[in-house]
Amino acid sequence: MDDEKKSGDSITANIGDVSDRSQVAVGKGITQIQEYGPPPTVEDIAQLQQMFEELKAKIDQEVAPADKEKALERVDELKEAVTAKEPDITTMEYVKNWFGKNVPAMASSVMDLIVNPVVGKFVAAGGKALAATFRSRFGL
């Protein structure tokens, strides 16, 4: 009887801009649960650090001086996006696209890092919804 409409019950929702990691529910008796993956291990963190160091070394060796500084800045942005408490998929996608437009010779190396299973562990720790968005945006 509690869930039945009673005289005077009214549910109204105005939902503005919602990020792709948000959940919205409108109504009565709604329960939402967000499941998170295990946090990255010390080994995962070390492996990720090594991957970023290798990518930076490759950029340092193979990218023209005119593009090198900006490329290394994008790698730093990517690292921040991956290691944030809630990984920033939008920034990951931006960095991938930036390399595709500006330093295409390095685009596959950047994409290889992004889709590496270690990065997937960091994203999974942000929750199932975030992981699903990650898989969708990067074709996994």
Side-chain angles (χ1 to χ4, degrees), residues 79-115:
K79 184 176 181 181
E80 286 180 31
V82 171
T83 59
K85 183 176 180 181
E86 182 174 295
D88 183 349
I89 295 170
T90 301
T91 298
M92 290 183 212
E93 189 172 42
Y94 160 75
V95 170
K96 174 191 76 95
N97 292 339
W98 185 90
F99 274 94
K101 288 180 185 176
N102 297 284
V103 189
M106 296 301 301
S108 64
S109 295
V110 171
M111 186 63 173
D112 287 347
L113 188 146
I114 291 171
V115 300

Side-chain angles (χ1 to χ4, degrees), residues 31-60:
T31 302
Q32 291 185 311
I33 298 171
Q34 174 67 289
E35 294 182 29
Y36 296 89
T41 64
V42 172
E43 292 82 12
D44 295 332
I45 295 167
Q47 186 176 355
L48 184 69
Q49 178 66 31
Q50 181 66 34
M51 290 165 42
F52 276 104
E53 288 173 11
E54 290 171 2
L55 179 59
K56 283 183 170 188
K58 188 171 183 175
I59 288 170
D60 195 48

Side-chain angles (χ1 to χ4, degrees), residues 12-16 26:
T12 303
N14 293 315
I15 301 169
V26 178

